[in-house]
Amino acid sequence: MVVLAASICTRGGKPVLSRQFRDMPRSRIEGLLAAFPKLTDAGTQHTTIETESVRYVYQPLEELYMVLITNKQSNILQDIDSLHLFAQITQSICKTIDEREILRNAFELLSAFDEAVALGYKENLTLSQIKTFMEMESHEERIQEIISRNKEFEASEERKRKAKQLDIQRKEMTRSGRGGQTPRTPQFPTYQAPPTTKSPAIPSFDSYEAEKKKSFASAPKGKGMQLGKKSKTTDMFEKVRNELGAPEESAPLISSSSAPSASTSSRQTPAPATLDSLYPINVTINETISAEVSREGAIRSFEVKGDLQLRITDPSLNKIRLSVTADDANNTVQYKTHPNVDKALFNSSKAIQAKDENRPFPANGQSLGVLRWRLASKPGIESDSSALPITFVVWVNPGASPNSFAITVEYELTDTDEKLEDVVISIPYQRSEPVIASQDEVYEVTGDSLDWNIKHVDANNSSGSFEFEAGAEDEGEFFPMEVRFSKATPFVNVDVSDVVLVEDDEHVDFHKEVKCTASGFTIT
């Protein structure tokens, strides 16, 4: 059975909606539908019409026709079954069977027709299954709806906040305006304290305050004898005084020149301690790990570079000696000291000290590299994967569809005592966006790469895998993969255990920081 087209047309043969399942021009479908009403016979009960080239299978839908155009070799029973399914789809989606309702639901009808017939062949589906497929939720659509709701909520909250702000400003302007008149600032008399002397006869400030309170409290409330008319100035002063209330007991009556300034006391507050003030000696261990690893996990090349930085901020502590741990069991690590460092002392006792006592370490707050080291593999010789803190194996297999590959990336921690932080495997791709099979893993898809993120790799999470599928002409499009991570301890065992003053062998506190990262770590 091959369904060429499914159409809904009027009684006169005018197409309202049509879906072609085979490559047929629009004019061909319009011609077949225009000839269809002329071939029907109202006196017969048959719902099929055969011509020289096609077969019409139709069913009336009120004032319209549901028409299937098939080839003559198709199974008539299957054609009728498909016709009934299309009619049920149309009646379930459209509330009324008329041209306006069909055009309003054209997109849903075409989608349902595509679910029922694919490339001209009927799918073994029922009406309920087609409804289920069309009503399935989309994860991306749900995310967009959540984002839209959040934006609307934020905009609503912002409007409320702005309205509240404007309301508060309006009230403040109304309160401060007092009917358009600017309030006058009251002027109170100020008491000037007498010069301080050693004579006990002059009362102190506290005694004056006590007398003032006593006289103020014992003042008679009744009216005294008045000579003449009451002064307007006194009356206005009393009104202002009643509006502002009684003066606070803590308000000083002396000028600011005789009282201690609050800003002076605030300036005397000690500043918060910084790292340089707590530790005038700072030691930083920097190390980078670069490697090229094959897909099978073999190490083609690797290199470890590191340096020891010393920073001193106190000139009195520039004559020091650093006790250093610098392991080299197999004589594979190359160490180099700064030209101003005593190289013989470092080789004999693993201590770092200035070569000339008259030229100690600089104490200008700038970092000085006093030691460097390098560990590298032999060129052209593949090493064992256990030489690195973490190993990777990549499995590449053909995908489910043509020109696609199923990729699986595995990692394993070589030493369970190690701990790696913020591990990222960046996988490039060029064609379609990858389909992730490992949904439990944390990943991020950008424009041209897929980043697999692992927060911690330690004894509790020493191994894992990540699987995805993507289209590509060649598996080489997924390589090279880039690996990034950081470590709390250096790969080469370099450490500073103690710092002492050279002159009196006194131990000095210091601050130590370790920065060990992967840079140029690739899987090819």
Side-chain angles (χ1 to χ4, degrees), residues 71-100:
N71 58 6
K72 297 179 65 175
Q73 292 78 23
S74 64
N75 190 329
I76 186 64
L77 297 178
Q78 291 184 0
D79 293 343
I80 295 174
D81 188 29
S82 302
L83 177 67
H84 291 165
L85 179 59
F86 277 98
Q88 292 175 2
I89 291 173
T90 305
Q91 292 171 351
S92 64
I93 293 178
C94 299
K95 297 179 181 179
T96 59
I97 308 300
D98 54 28
E99 292 188 33
R100 182 177 298 179

Side-chain angles (χ1 to χ4, degrees), residues 288-291 299-306 328 330-334 373-381 383 387-388 491-492:
T288 58
I289 304 173
S290 59
I299 302 176
R300 293 174 178 170
S301 64
F302 79 93
E303 184 181 35
V304 180
K305 289 183 178 181
D328 187 12
N330 299 325
N331 295 325
T332 55
V333 183
Q334 302 174 5
W373 61 91
R374 179 178 180 270
L375 173 64
S377 62
K378 296 181 180 180
I381 300 177
S383 305
L388 294 176
F491 184 78
V492 178

Side-chain angles (χ1 to χ4, degrees), residues 138-360:
S138 171
H139 180 66
E140 290 78 7
E141 182 181 0
R142 190 186 307 168
I143 290 176
Q144 292 300 323
E145 290 177 355
I146 293 173
I147 293 173
S148 300
R149 286 199 299 267
N150 289 341
K151 288 182 178 180
E152 292 176 0
F153 178 75
E154 290 175 359
S156 176
E157 292 296 322
E158 183 68 17
R159 285 196 301 270
K160 292 179 182 178
R161 189 181 66 81
K162 289 286 186 182
K164 188 175 181 181
Q165 229 174 22
L166 293 174
D167 191 24
I168 293 173
Q169 291 177 359
R170 195 179 300 110
K171 289 181 180 178
E172 288 181 352
M173 292 175 63
T174 305
R175 190 188 308 109
S176 61
R178 295 179 184 270
Q181 297 180 359
T182 305
R184 294 176 55 191
T185 304
Q187 301 292 333
F188 296 100
T190 307
Y191 172 75
Q192 300 291 339
T196 57
T197 60
K198 294 183 179 180
S199 174
I202 299 176
S204 62
F205 174 74
D206 295 337
S207 63
Y208 172 79
E209 284 286 321
E211 288 297 327
K212 177 181 73 66
K213 295 175 185 177
K214 182 177 179 182
S215 61
F216 186 84
S218 60
K221 296 183 180 180
K223 294 184 178 179
M225 182 174 62
Q226 297 180 354
L227 298 176
K229 191 177 181 180
K230 188 175 180 181
S231 173
K232 293 183 179 180
T233 306
T234 307
D235 185 51
M236 184 178 294
F237 178 79
E238 289 296 330
K239 288 182 179 180
V240 173
R241 184 173 182 274
N242 291 333
E243 288 179 1
L244 297 177
E248 297 181 1
E249 294 183 359
S250 60
L253 296 179
I254 62 174
S255 62
S256 59
S257 60
S258 59
S261 175
S263 61
T264 306
S265 61
S266 64
R267 285 196 298 267
Q268 296 176 355
T269 304
T274 61
L275 184 63
D276 291 339
S277 61
L278 293 175
Y279 300 100
I281 301 175
N282 290 272
V283 176
T284 304
I285 299 175
N286 298 312
E287 192 178 68
T288 58
I289 304 173
S290 59
E292 182 182 353
V293 183
S294 67
R295 306 171 195 181
E296 292 77 19
I299 302 176
R300 293 174 178 170
S301 64
F302 79 93
E303 184 181 35
V304 180
K305 289 183 178 181
D307 62 355
L308 178 63
Q309 300 283 337
L310 176 64
R311 182 163 59 90
I312 303 174
T313 58
D314 190 351
S316 63
L317 301 177
N318 59 352
K319 296 182 180 181
I320 57 175
R321 180 174 63 252
L322 281 68
S323 298
V324 180
T325 301
D327 290 346
D328 187 12
N330 299 325
N331 295 325
T332 55
V333 183
Q334 302 174 5
Y335 291 98
K336 289 185 179 181
T337 58
H338 191 273
N340 295 336
V341 173
D342 192 342
K343 184 176 182 180
L345 180 63
F346 174 77
N347 292 333
S348 61
S349 58
K350 293 296 184 290
I352 296 178
Q353 179 181 326
K355 184 188 301 183
D356 189 356
E357 295 182 359
N358 297 324
R359 294 181 59 191

Side-chain angles (χ1 to χ4, degrees), residues 6-10 14-18 64-66 90 102 109 113:
S7 306
I8 301 176
C9 66
T10 62
K14 174 188 173 183
V16 180
L17 181 72
S18 179
L64 303 175
Y65 277 120
M66 180 75 227
T90 305
I102 288 174
L109 288 171
F113 288 176

